[in-house]
Amino acid sequence: MVTRRELLKLSGMTVASVALGARAQQIAPADYTIDIADYALELAPRRTIKTIAYNRQVPGPLLRFREGQPVTIDVTNHTGNSEVVHWHGLFLPSQVDGAMEEGTPPIPAGGQARYIFTPRPAGFRWYHTHVFAGNDLLRGQYTGEHGFLLVEPRDNPGHYDQEIFLALHDWDAALLASADGSMDPAYNVSTINGRVLGFGEPLRVKAGEQVLFQILNSSPTEVHWIALSGHLFNVIALDGNKVPQPQLVPMLRLAPAERISALVEMNHPGAWVMGEVRKHIMAAGMGIAVEYAGSTGKPRWEQPEELSWDYLRFAAAVQALAPAPSQATDTVTIPLVFASKFAGHGAMDHWTINGKSYPETAGPPLTAGQRYRLQFINRSTNDHPVHLHRHSFELRRLPGQPETHGILKDTVLVDANTQLDVEFTANDPGPTLFHCHQQNHMDAGFMMLFHYA
Amino acid sequence: MRDLKWWIWIFAVLSSALPACAQGNYEIQVYGAATVEPKSTMVELHSNYTPDGQRYVIDGVYPTNHQEHETLEITQGLTSWSEVGFYVFTSEQNGHGVQWVGDHIRPRVRVPDSWHWPVGVSLSTEIGYQRAVYSPDTWTWEIRPIIDKYLGRWYMAVNPALERTWHGPDVAQGLGFSPAAKVGYDFSKKISGGIEYYADYGRLGDFYSLHNQVQQIFVVTDLNVSPKWEINIGVGVGPTAATDHWIIKGILGRHFNWKKESPVD
């Protein structure tokens, strides 16, 4: 008889059980189970689409972990294709991080896997599929395979009366010619938590409440702008990491894979719309009603006239700047140049990092403990939400801005034809994937694997 | 029933691949399925010159040899799936000066993107008048299915058009079959090259002899310098007696957007 403690010790605390024997899988019941299966999602009245979902719901079940407390998750793949689940934003060994490029074993069609790991760091994370989709716009992130993951800190998680998780997603994609001369996915339906505006239950709040909105953009390719009419967002965390300076803002911008944690003081009773600021996406369904107790009537939407967002608003104050890590240590700079390769007006562009497409891309070997500065040099006409697995990075320089620090993220949007610098400490040995989080970009070469020396 | 569907499909494909189309040499273009967006306008100038064409006045119709045709085409987008186009045809020739030739109007609808069809499909109908000295059939009507497809660097389009004369010598002819087709290849993001084919086979079910059919093949290039501009240049040959032997054509188009640009639209 092997105890769970012994099993964890045996497996180096964190392994995907596909590497273990069948007996080991049966030793202890899982803390969570996830079934990946085909699912008919009712987006709107008389509008159902066939997709793939976790546990027959979109988004998948909310997973709440305690930081530092090992968890076991059994995943069964009922689909006809291999799958893998990526635990986005967690510092996990490569074998269990959920990217086959790093060495996490795929879950074969009809197969099962057990993920065992110790979740950290605390904060708002998420989990999602990490498979190749290519031209199949019914696979990968184009599906409903995403869910919220909250790693709660050991201490009090915060002061709020209600916590609401919202996922922004786009559906029913088709390849259409875009302004840059190539094909890009375009969507017919956009939703919050898998429903279009007016379909499904409203968010119910009470006057005087503090509501913590945990918002995820799980869209395969699209950036989204969210406002709640009549209210302001107090942004307290980006990608699950507390920001140095919480700020009140009228709207949020979330690139694919980004998360924002924002407190809203419910001080304006009535029925309101929370939704996409851009009219055509709101018209495609991205919105949800917010109803105060006792309020009735049609939810109101006050259309903003401008888009506004600036990561730097949440950065550490200039006068409070401590010596930046790059000044305190010998930071190694790694320039990463993003560019597109034309593949025809009838195809999606191919993508390169430093002139090469994955799997030919290669980053320099990382030395454990070393601080690195990644220069994201975007020489394309597309914005790119780039994501580094298994680590957090710190925003250091935004286009046209002085040095900054204090904002920790795992995904950041690099605007077209700009440069953005981040820094991270190589403190989690193992193959580490870096990629654009737009499904069509990562599928077309925009990925690179860092290896530790 | 299933066999019938197959036969219809095979017939449609074969029909699309067949040559023939009565194209007046005023607007020499194989249509793609896309339509102009609403609240925007495409203005195109079609310039066609015939270095080697018909040299004689036949049935009162001016010869095409050394004729310069300038056609102004203005297309207004109506909805995300419809547009309407207007044409003004002119001709310049030694001895005749600059002449107004006629006008056409062309409404068009297309299959919306949301239908997710594997090919682009639209349907246009064109009605118009041309002076008898330029076309003995003065009032004509055309219906033009348009099917196109991008495949990587390749582009294919077929326009199996049907024409009907409402006034003129061919009024009793019935429907004429006038297909056009194009195959293009993207050499780069900005430069594409290809072949365009235009024909007029004559009456459906009773085609002209090959000798009397219009048959034209153009070598063309499309320059995609900007989403605002459309540039197409080509040189065509007509190997049959009923066809002008050499034609040079050019299309210069400019897209105007009348929408008040707003970041929140």
Side-chain angles (χ1 to χ4, degrees), chain A residues 172-174 176 179-180 188 277-280 303-307 342-347, chain B residues 113-116 150-154 186-192 224 227 262-265:
Chain A
D172 197 16
L176 292 182
D180 67 1
N188 286 316
V277 174
R278 291 167 300 171
K279 296 171 187 171
H280 71 284
Q303 178 62 52
E305 294 304 320
E306 297 290 335
L307 300 175
F342 180 68
H345 292 296
Chain B
D113 296 327
S114 58
W115 292 12
H116 292 190
Y150 283 99
L151 274 175
R153 290 178 182 269
W154 290 94
D186 298 326
F187 295 108
S188 71
K189 194 172 229 175
K190 295 188 175 177
I191 300 175
S192 306
N224 310 295
S262 165
V264 296
D265 280 339

Side-chain angles (χ1 to χ4, degrees), chain A residues 23-42:
Chain A
R23 182 166 175 268
Q25 288 190 28
Q26 297 165 1
I27 290 169
D31 300 306
Y32 298 91
T33 59
I34 294 176
D35 288 309
I36 308 172
D38 295 341
Y39 180 58
L41 173 63
E42 192 175 12

Side-chain angles (χ1 to χ4, degrees), chain A residues 59-73:
Chain A
L62 166 64
L63 303 182
R64 283 184 182 271
F65 300 155
R66 297 291 295 182
E67 186 181 26
Q69 184 174 316
V71 294
T72 306
I73 306 155

